[in-house]
Amino acid sequence: MSMNPTCPFPISDYPTVTLAHGGGGALMHQLIDRMFLTAFRNPLLDAGHDGAVFGMNGANVALTTDSYVVQPLFFPGGDIGTLAVNGTVNDLAMCGARPLYLTLGMILEEGLPMETLWRIVQSIREAADRAGVAIVTGDTKVVDRGKGDGIYINTAGVGALTQGRDINPGRIQSGDVILLSGDVGRHGIAIMAVREGLEFESAIESDCAPLAQPVLALSQAGVEVHSLRDLTRGGLASALVEHARTAGVTLRIEEKDVPVREDVQGACELLGLDPFYVANEGRFIAIIPERQGDAALEILRGFPVSEGAVRIGTVQERGRALVRLQSRINAPRIMDLLSGEQLPRIC
Amino acid sequence: MSMNPTCPFPISDYPTVTLAHGGGGALMHQLIDRMFLTAFRNPLLDAGHDGAVFGMNGANVALTTDSYVVQPLFFPGGDIGTLAVNGTVNDLAMCGARPLYLTLGMILEEGLPMETLWRIVQSIREAADRAGVAIVTGDTKVVDRGKGDGIYINTAGVGALTQGRDINPGRIQSGDVILLSGDVGRHGIAIMAVREGLEFESAIESDCAPLAQPVLALSQAGVEVHSLRDLTRGGLASALVEHARTAGVTLRIEEKDVPVREDVQGACELLGLDPFYVANEGRFIAIIPERQGDAALEILRGFPVSEGAVRIGTVQERGRALVRLQSRINAPRIMDLLSGEQLPRIC
């Protein structure tokens, strides 16, 4: 075979897989870029998107996948089933596609209570109904007791693009504005609160929700959407840094304009977390031409899931790939990917 | 929501998940039919196929998924990576589709040696090249040490149908012949031999291989393929029983016509296994009109992967869903799904 036997990933530096290799930060990106993308190189994979977009007999199709290993399985605002539907549906939406079909692969651990499985199956169905997708094929595996963690779920999603296939970080222009669909940090904090046994006056619920409706409404209204990204592992900050790098641009973000709920901010301080890096499951950024910014915000605010949409920054010069955060006290700070692991198994 | 809160699966009889619920036998079918298919009911899912087939903008698309949890990760003739490509590619082929794109979802266990991951990644690439598919999108998760078993892989596949979308068990006719693409039992025995430390004069290798070429050649030659199925978990016997049930027909199989290699037969006797129920990863049955049987065999025998193709039986009357095995000593026997678990984690 034509396989190069030397691995471009520095195996001697990282001889074993660590939790950080799945955390959405720098180590995960290194593993993906230098091992997976190098081995599987092809134009669709290289697009650096949340999913692949290709033509089939004249139809423009989006395809995406995610595995879900969240712990605990149930948390305020959702469970692993809700997540497995919305996470994948949202990746399709971020390609500008209308989500249509999901596959469902379940890896069950011997000893999982059937009642737990049934609760999760019901959540999957309810979330699929809400997102307007059908579960059309699936697979079930069982692993020995102690070789799993109750249940892991993989979903792959297929969506249809009606507006062409040109939503991707490569289209970002200097002068574009960056919109954020609502407050950040809730999903990660909802999970961490359960894990750490934190009590708040009222529970912080995950923001887990399907996002295709507001996204499709933008395109339908004629907004020239350059790029979209949902803010999952690694949070708002990582999504911005990935965008800056893929597009080769500087993004300027106003910290004061990024909404963080007071209870989420408090929990972050208690836990030593930066809310900009905390995972969300119902938030996205949209990068669009400045002239359409106000119209786009108005459209987004018409949907409950994005009623808190705001403008948080702008795309500045080409050529320097970085994210510049203008802080509340007006001190600039460069945002980067976290090198380690902030929140393991958040999705 | 319109969700029925009572589960049609008898939870009180099976309060927890057992290995047999993933084994390809009766318990797995009960779980799938009474919990998953009931909850997610839709026409595509109800077709009882290896994948879903649907139209998108005039294109006929096949979509399928499988998770892979095989132990050991490496075995004679392949590894979990080879399996993750060929298993999914073959499910597409069994829908009559040309496999095009794969997603790749990896769940890695903390502590997995990077060298192991790299070997598996290379296998995935080599298998994808051989099968003519591209890995176009993926996802990486890491779970804590002790919460996985090295690596679990999910692949979902997308394929294109050129010949319409009418290959499914519902098309089987009385009088059709049943063709088998080669000898059975090798994959399961290759795995079990490693697990049990069995030594043979020469290693029994898995038959793991991509099957789209011979299948597409049948359609291209004008063979009216009624139904196809690859013989994975549950082996030949389970595939036949599933077909008989979905189509509501009696299948008659001549035991003497089903090829089983001598070393595989010997290993099966040693291990107390029935080779008809042992998993394969490069074998399939094709059910076609009797008049085209000889021509189809000639086509199949032109490909290395199906050079041992034979005719093993016929479709008899409608209305009685069963598989009648005519044994070597001419005694008839009814084949059914195994109720328990024969070979856990074989794929």
Side-chain angles (χ1 to χ4, degrees):
Chain A
M1 305 301 268
S2 59
M3 200 63 211
N4 181 346
T6 347
C7 183
F9 175 88
I11 290 182
S12 52
D13 293 348
Y14 302 97
T16 62
V17 170
T18 65
L19 282 172
H21 285 114
L27 285 183
M28 187 178 92
H29 281 85
Q30 185 191 44
L31 178 65
I32 291 174
D33 293 348
R34 299 186 65 178
M35 190 183 291
F36 305 149
L37 295 188
T38 310
F40 305 132
R41 187 146 305 260
N42 65 64
L44 292 175
L45 195 58
D46 295 348
H49 218 315
D50 268 350
V53 175
F54 46 81
M56 274 184 88
N57 267 7
N60 281 324
V61 178
L63 174 66
T64 185
T65 190
D66 264 319
S67 298
Y68 300 86
V69 300
V70 67
Q71 274 296 327
L73 298 175
F74 300 89
F75 48 82
D79 60 40
I80 190 171
T82 333
L83 217 52
V85 172
N86 288 329
T88 296
V89 155
N90 289 347
D91 281 349
L92 291 172
M94 296 305 125
C95 299
R98 179 179 301 282
L100 294 173
Y101 303 115
L102 292 189
T103 68
L104 177 65
M106 290 188 283
I107 299 177
L108 311 177
E109 186 187 3
E110 186 186 10
L112 176 74
M114 282 288 177
E115 283 288 357
T116 305
L117 180 59
W118 177 234
R119 274 179 71 190
I120 293 167
V121 163
Q122 289 176 86
S123 291
I124 292 172
R125 172 176 156 168
E126 285 170 16
D129 284 351
R130 181 174 168 204
V133 294
I135 311 287
V136 294
T137 189
D139 176 60
T140 310
K141 294 290 191 304
V142 180
V143 295
D144 325 57
R145 202 181 293 268
K147 299 292 183 187
D149 206 357
I151 178 170
Y152 300 140
I153 299 180
N154 176 285
T155 48
V158 166
L161 279 86
T162 44
Q163 311 277 331
R165 33 174 148 153
D166 49 359
I167 294 178
N168 67 68
R171 282 191 67 217
I172 298 175
Q173 302 288 325
S174 298
D176 281 357
V177 292
I178 304 165
L179 309 183
L180 167 64
S181 71
D183 66 300
V184 298
R186 265 200 269 156
H187 174 71
I189 294 303
I191 301 276
M192 289 304 288
V194 180
R195 282 199 208 151
E196 305 289 327
L198 298 185
E199 303 254 343
F200 304 103
E201 275 182 47
S202 60
I204 296 176
E205 295 204 332
S206 168
D207 58 336
C208 189
L211 298 174
Q213 279 198 330
V215 164
L216 293 172
L218 290 180
S219 295
Q220 277 154 11
V223 174
E224 197 183 294
V225 179
H226 289 163
S227 193
L228 295 163
R229 186 65 53 99
D230 56 341
L231 312 177
T232 54
R233 274 183 292 179
L236 170 65
S238 304
L240 291 169
V241 173
E242 288 167 25
H243 260 79
R245 289 191 184 171
T246 308
V249 293
T250 298
L251 306 179
R252 179 190 156 119
I253 305 295
E254 304 295 329
E255 184 177 18
K256 68 170 173 23
D257 295 338
V258 176
V260 181
R261 256 172 40 175
E262 209 174 315
D263 52 0
V264 170
Q265 183 68 50
C268 280
E269 283 165 16
L270 208 63
L271 294 163
L273 299 173
D274 179 342
F276 283 35
Y277 287 89
V278 173
N280 312 272
E281 289 292 339
R283 295 290 177 258
F284 65 97
I285 50 169
I287 305 184
I288 64 168
E290 203 277 336
R291 64 186 155 76
Q292 296 186 306
D294 291 339
L297 280 177
E298 198 170 323
I299 292 165
L300 293 179
R301 289 174 183 157
F303 295 88
V305 77
S306 51
E307 63 187 3
V310 288
R311 171 177 166 158
I312 60 165
T314 52
V315 179
Q316 300 192 310
E317 76 267 30
R318 286 218 159 262
R320 297 196 60 199
L322 53 84
V323 179
R324 207 189 294 270
L325 184 74
Q326 207 64 23
S327 80
R328 282 188 175 75
I329 54 166
N330 219 24
R333 168 159 83 90
I334 303 302
M335 296 181 90
D336 204 349
L337 297 177
L338 291 187
S339 62
E341 169 65 64
Q342 181 165 253
L343 293 172
R345 301 186 54 192
I346 210 72
C347 61
Chain B
M1 305 299 271
S2 59
M3 199 64 210
N4 181 345
T6 344
C7 184
F9 175 88
I11 290 183
S12 52
D13 294 347
Y14 302 96
T16 62
V17 170
T18 65
L19 281 171
H21 285 113
L27 285 183
M28 187 178 90
H29 282 85
Q30 185 191 42
L31 178 64
I32 291 174
D33 292 349
R34 299 186 64 179
M35 191 183 291
F36 306 150
L37 296 189
T38 310
F40 306 133
R41 187 146 305 261
N42 63 66
L44 292 175
L45 194 60
D46 295 347
H49 218 314
D50 268 350
V53 175
F54 47 82
M56 274 185 87
N57 265 8
N60 281 324
V61 178
L63 174 66
T64 184
T65 191
D66 263 319
S67 299
Y68 300 86
V69 300
V70 65
Q71 273 296 327
L73 298 175
F74 300 88
F75 47 83
D79 60 39
I80 191 172
T82 333
L83 217 53
V85 172
N86 288 330
T88 297
V89 155
N90 289 347
D91 281 347
L92 292 172
M94 297 305 125
C95 299
R98 179 180 301 282
L100 295 173
Y101 303 115
L102 291 189
T103 68
L104 176 65
M106 291 189 282
I107 299 176
L108 311 177
E109 185 187 2
E110 185 187 11
L112 176 73
M114 281 288 179
E115 282 289 357
T116 305
L117 180 58
W118 176 234
R119 275 180 70 191
I120 292 167
V121 163
Q122 288 176 84
S123 290
I124 292 172
R125 173 176 156 167
E126 285 170 15
D129 284 351
R130 183 175 167 203
V133 294
I135 312 287
V136 294
T137 191
D139 175 60
T140 310
K141 293 290 191 303
V142 180
V143 295
D144 325 57
R145 202 180 294 267
K147 298 293 182 188
D149 206 358
I151 178 171
Y152 300 140
I153 299 179
N154 177 284
T155 48
V158 166
L161 278 87
T162 46
Q163 312 277 332
R165 35 175 146 152
D166 48 0
I167 294 179
N168 67 68
R171 283 192 66 216
I172 298 175
Q173 300 290 325
S174 298
D176 281 357
V177 291
I178 303 165
L179 309 183
L180 167 65
S181 71
D183 67 298
V184 298
R186 265 200 267 158
H187 175 71
I189 294 303
I191 300 274
M192 289 304 287
V194 180
R195 281 199 208 151
E196 305 289 327
L198 297 186
E199 303 252 344
F200 304 103
E201 277 182 44
S202 60
I204 296 175
E205 295 203 333
S206 168
D207 58 336
C208 188
L211 298 173
Q213 279 199 330
V215 165
L216 293 173
L218 290 179
S219 295
Q220 276 153 14
V223 175
E224 198 183 294
V225 180
H226 289 164
S227 194
L228 296 163
R229 186 68 51 100
D230 56 342
L231 312 177
T232 54
R233 273 182 294 180
L236 171 65
S238 304
L240 291 169
V241 174
E242 287 168 25
H243 260 80
R245 290 191 184 171
T246 308
V249 293
T250 298
L251 306 179
R252 178 190 157 117
I253 305 296
E254 304 295 329
E255 184 178 20
K256 69 172 171 27
D257 295 337
V258 176
V260 181
R261 256 172 41 174
E262 209 173 314
D263 51 0
V264 170
Q265 184 67 50
C268 279
E269 284 165 15
L270 209 61
L271 295 163
L273 299 173
D274 180 341
F276 283 34
Y277 288 90
V278 174
N280 312 272
E281 288 292 339
R283 295 289 177 259
F284 66 97
I285 51 169
I287 304 184
I288 64 169
E290 203 277 335
R291 66 188 152 76
Q292 297 185 305
D294 291 338
L297 280 177
E298 198 169 326
I299 292 164
L300 293 179
R301 288 174 184 157
F303 294 89
V305 77
S306 51
E307 64 187 3
V310 289
R311 172 179 164 156
I312 60 165
T314 51
V315 178
Q316 300 194 311
E317 75 268 30
R318 286 216 160 265
R320 299 196 58 199
L322 55 84
V323 179
R324 206 188 294 271
L325 184 73
Q326 208 62 23
S327 81
R328 282 187 176 77
I329 54 166
N330 221 22
R333 166 159 87 88
I334 304 302
M335 297 180 89
D336 204 350
L337 297 177
L338 291 187
S339 62
E341 168 66 65
Q342 180 165 251
L343 293 170
R345 299 185 57 190
I346 211 72
C347 61

